[in-house]
Amino acid sequence: MILVAGLSPAWQQIAQLPHLRVGEVNRARSVEWCASGKVLNVGLALHRLRGLADDSPDVQVLSVAGGPAGKELQAQCARWGVPVEWIATRAPTRVCTTLLDQQTGRTTEIVENAGPIEPGELAAFEAAFRERVRDARVVVLAGSFPAGTPVDLYARLARHTTAPLVIDAQGAPLLATLAARPAVIKIGRAHV
Protein backbone atom coordinates (compact mmCIF):
# COMPACT_ATOMS: atom_id res chain seq x y z
CA MET A 1 0.00 0.00 0.00
CA ILE A 2 1.11 3.57 -0.72
CA LEU A 3 0.20 5.92 2.13
CA VAL A 4 -0.28 9.58 1.18
CA ALA A 5 -0.69 11.96 4.13
CA GLY A 6 -1.07 15.72 4.47
CA LEU A 7 -2.91 18.45 6.32
CA SER A 8 -3.88 21.00 3.65
CA PRO A 9 -6.45 19.71 1.18
CA ALA A 10 -8.50 22.31 -0.66
CA TRP A 11 -11.90 22.73 -2.22
CA GLN A 12 -10.87 24.29 -5.54
CA GLN A 13 -12.89 26.75 -7.61
CA ILE A 14 -11.78 27.00 -11.26
CA ALA A 15 -13.19 29.98 -13.15
CA GLN A 16 -12.71 30.55 -16.89
CA LEU A 17 -12.74 34.24 -17.79
CA PRO A 18 -12.75 35.76 -21.30
CA HIS A 19 -10.01 38.13 -20.07
CA LEU A 20 -8.90 38.86 -16.51
CA ARG A 21 -8.99 42.59 -15.84
CA VAL A 22 -7.40 43.41 -12.49
CA GLY A 23 -9.34 45.97 -10.48
CA GLU A 24 -12.54 45.48 -12.48
CA VAL A 25 -15.62 43.26 -12.37
CA ASN A 26 -14.91 40.01 -14.22
CA ARG A 27 -17.68 37.64 -15.31
CA ALA A 28 -16.78 33.97 -15.58
CA ARG A 29 -17.78 31.96 -18.63
CA SER A 30 -17.79 28.82 -16.51
CA VAL A 31 -16.99 27.74 -12.97
CA GLU A 32 -16.14 24.24 -11.77
CA TRP A 33 -15.36 22.89 -8.30
CA CYS A 34 -13.14 19.97 -7.37
CA ALA A 35 -11.14 18.37 -4.58
CA SER A 36 -7.54 19.56 -4.64
CA GLY A 37 -4.44 20.31 -2.60
CA LYS A 38 -1.18 18.37 -2.88
CA VAL A 39 -2.23 15.52 -0.61
CA LEU A 40 -5.40 14.83 -2.61
CA ASN A 41 -3.79 15.49 -5.99
CA VAL A 42 -1.08 12.91 -5.25
CA GLY A 43 -3.59 10.43 -3.85
CA LEU A 44 -5.93 10.82 -6.82
CA ALA A 45 -3.11 10.47 -9.35
CA LEU A 46 -1.79 7.30 -7.69
CA HIS A 47 -5.31 5.90 -7.38
CA ARG A 48 -5.95 6.43 -11.09
CA LEU A 49 -2.54 5.08 -12.12
CA ARG A 50 -3.17 1.97 -10.03
CA GLY A 51 -5.42 0.55 -12.75
CA LEU A 52 -2.60 0.57 -15.31
CA ALA A 53 -0.67 -2.38 -13.86
CA ASP A 54 -1.88 -5.58 -12.22
CA ASP A 55 0.75 -5.46 -9.48
CA SER A 56 0.15 -1.81 -8.47
CA PRO A 57 -0.20 -1.35 -4.72
CA ASP A 58 -3.35 0.01 -3.10
CA VAL A 59 -3.43 3.70 -2.22
CA GLN A 60 -4.61 5.12 1.10
CA VAL A 61 -4.90 8.87 1.71
CA LEU A 62 -4.95 10.40 5.19
CA SER A 63 -6.06 14.02 5.50
CA VAL A 64 -8.31 16.46 7.33
CA ALA A 65 -11.63 18.12 6.52
CA GLY A 66 -13.97 20.57 8.20
CA GLY A 67 -16.97 22.77 7.49
CA PRO A 68 -19.14 22.87 4.34
CA ALA A 69 -16.15 22.82 1.96
CA GLY A 70 -14.84 19.76 3.82
CA LYS A 71 -18.14 17.96 3.28
CA GLU A 72 -17.99 18.72 -0.46
CA LEU A 73 -14.39 17.48 -0.56
CA GLN A 74 -15.30 14.23 1.18
CA ALA A 75 -18.28 13.64 -1.09
CA GLN A 76 -16.28 14.16 -4.26
CA CYS A 77 -13.45 11.87 -3.14
CA ALA A 78 -16.06 9.20 -2.33
CA ARG A 79 -17.61 9.61 -5.81
CA TRP A 80 -14.16 9.26 -7.38
CA GLY A 81 -13.53 6.12 -5.32
CA VAL A 82 -10.39 7.52 -3.71
CA PRO A 83 -9.84 5.82 -0.34
CA VAL A 84 -9.39 8.65 2.18
CA GLU A 85 -9.39 8.46 5.95
CA TRP A 86 -10.61 11.85 7.14
CA ILE A 87 -9.81 13.48 10.47
CA ALA A 88 -12.55 15.99 11.31
CA THR A 89 -11.42 19.53 12.13
CA ARG A 90 -13.17 22.54 13.59
CA ALA A 91 -11.33 24.75 11.09
CA PRO A 92 -13.12 24.73 7.74
CA THR A 93 -11.33 23.25 4.76
CA ARG A 94 -9.67 26.00 2.77
CA VAL A 95 -11.08 27.20 -0.53
CA CYS A 96 -8.66 28.09 -3.32
CA THR A 97 -9.45 29.74 -6.64
CA THR A 98 -7.89 29.33 -10.07
CA LEU A 99 -8.60 32.04 -12.65
CA LEU A 100 -8.05 30.98 -16.27
CA ASP A 101 -7.64 33.95 -18.62
CA GLN A 102 -8.75 32.59 -22.00
CA GLN A 103 -7.40 35.55 -23.97
CA THR A 104 -3.83 35.35 -22.69
CA GLY A 105 -3.73 31.70 -21.61
CA ARG A 106 -2.41 32.80 -18.21
CA THR A 107 -3.45 31.21 -14.93
CA THR A 108 -3.79 33.13 -11.67
CA GLU A 109 -3.97 31.24 -8.37
CA ILE A 110 -5.56 32.60 -5.20
CA VAL A 111 -4.47 30.26 -2.41
CA GLU A 112 -6.08 30.34 1.01
CA ASN A 113 -3.86 29.14 3.84
CA ALA A 114 -5.23 26.19 5.80
CA GLY A 115 -6.76 27.08 9.16
CA PRO A 116 -5.09 25.90 12.39
CA ILE A 117 -5.45 22.30 13.50
CA GLU A 118 -6.34 21.86 17.16
CA PRO A 119 -3.96 19.74 19.30
CA GLY A 120 -6.49 16.89 19.67
CA GLU A 121 -7.11 16.85 15.90
CA LEU A 122 -3.38 16.75 15.21
CA ALA A 123 -2.99 13.91 17.74
CA ALA A 124 -5.78 11.99 15.97
CA PHE A 125 -4.03 12.53 12.62
CA GLU A 126 -0.73 11.25 14.01
CA ALA A 127 -2.41 8.22 15.62
CA ALA A 128 -4.17 7.36 12.33
CA PHE A 129 -0.85 7.73 10.51
CA ARG A 130 0.92 5.37 12.93
CA GLU A 131 -1.84 2.79 12.41
CA ARG A 132 -1.88 3.06 8.59
CA VAL A 133 1.89 3.26 8.07
CA ARG A 134 2.37 -0.33 9.31
CA ASP A 135 1.16 -1.65 5.94
CA ALA A 136 2.84 0.97 3.74
CA ARG A 137 5.34 0.03 1.05
CA VAL A 138 5.87 3.72 0.25
CA VAL A 139 4.97 6.84 2.25
CA VAL A 140 4.26 10.24 0.66
CA LEU A 141 4.03 13.31 2.91
CA ALA A 142 2.62 16.16 0.86
CA GLY A 143 1.58 19.75 1.28
CA SER A 144 2.01 22.82 3.39
CA PHE A 145 1.17 23.05 7.07
CA PRO A 146 -1.78 24.86 8.61
CA ALA A 147 -0.85 27.75 10.89
CA GLY A 148 0.57 26.56 14.21
CA THR A 149 1.54 23.06 13.04
CA PRO A 150 4.93 22.05 14.43
CA VAL A 151 7.54 22.32 11.66
CA ASP A 152 8.89 18.88 12.57
CA LEU A 153 5.57 17.07 12.02
CA TYR A 154 6.67 15.29 8.82
CA ALA A 155 9.99 14.39 10.50
CA ARG A 156 8.08 12.91 13.47
CA LEU A 157 5.83 10.93 11.13
CA ALA A 158 8.84 9.66 9.19
CA ARG A 159 10.22 8.04 12.35
CA HIS A 160 7.34 5.55 12.25
CA THR A 161 8.28 3.92 8.95
CA THR A 162 11.13 2.14 7.24
CA ALA A 163 9.34 2.35 3.88
CA PRO A 164 10.77 4.63 1.19
CA LEU A 165 9.72 8.20 1.95
CA VAL A 166 8.65 10.84 -0.58
CA ILE A 167 8.46 14.45 0.66
CA ASP A 168 6.55 17.19 -1.17
CA ALA A 169 7.04 20.17 1.12
CA GLN A 170 9.04 23.37 1.37
CA GLY A 171 10.90 25.48 3.89
CA ALA A 172 11.29 24.38 7.51
CA PRO A 173 9.04 21.28 7.22
CA LEU A 174 11.16 20.01 4.32
CA LEU A 175 14.45 20.78 6.06
CA ALA A 176 13.27 19.01 9.22
CA THR A 177 12.69 15.76 7.25
CA LEU A 178 16.17 15.58 5.74
CA ALA A 179 17.49 13.59 8.71
CA ALA A 180 14.96 10.86 7.78
CA ARG A 181 16.82 10.53 4.44
CA PRO A 182 13.81 10.63 2.11
CA ALA A 183 14.09 8.59 -1.09
CA VAL A 184 12.57 11.44 -3.12
CA ILE A 185 12.17 15.16 -2.45
CA LYS A 186 9.85 17.16 -4.69
CA ILE A 187 10.74 20.82 -4.85
CA GLY A 188 8.42 23.21 -6.68
CA ARG A 189 9.86 25.30 -9.51
CA ALA A 190 8.85 28.50 -7.72
CA HIS A 191 10.87 27.49 -4.66
CA VAL A 192 14.21 26.71 -6.31
Side-chain angles (χ1 to χ4, degrees), residues 15-137:
Q16 291 193 29
L17 308 168
H19 180 62
L20 175 62
R21 290 181 289 289
V22 177
E24 296 183 30
V25 173
N26 290 267
R27 298 211 181 268
R29 280 200 176 138
S30 67
V31 176
E32 296 179 33
W33 292 87
C34 66
S36 192
K38 285 183 183 181
V39 63
L40 296 182
N41 292 343
V42 170
L44 176 61
L46 290 171
H47 177 72
R48 289 194 173 161
L49 288 171
R50 183 175 179 267
L52 299 179
D54 292 334
D55 62 346
S56 295
D58 290 336
V59 175
Q60 175 66 51
V61 178
L62 173 62
S63 194
V64 297
K71 289 185 186 341
E72 293 290 338
L73 195 71
Q74 291 171 306
Q76 188 170 67
C77 286
R79 284 192 302 275
W80 287 345
V82 179
V84 183
E85 180 174 350
W86 298 103
I87 304 300
T89 61
R90 283 182 43 147
T93 297
R94 67 191 180 130
V95 176
C96 297
T97 303
T98 301
L99 303 174
L100 305 174
D101 184 328
Q102 294 177 318
Q103 184 178 38
T104 65
R106 296 177 113 181
T107 300
T108 301
E109 294 284 339
I110 301 170
V111 178
E112 179 183 345
N113 290 325
I117 304 289
E118 294 184 2
E121 298 163 349
L122 191 56
F125 178 85
E126 290 187 73
F129 180 88
R130 286 191 304 273
E131 182 66 30
R132 293 286 183 181
V133 78
R134 295 177 191 165
D135 300 323
R137 291 174 35 192

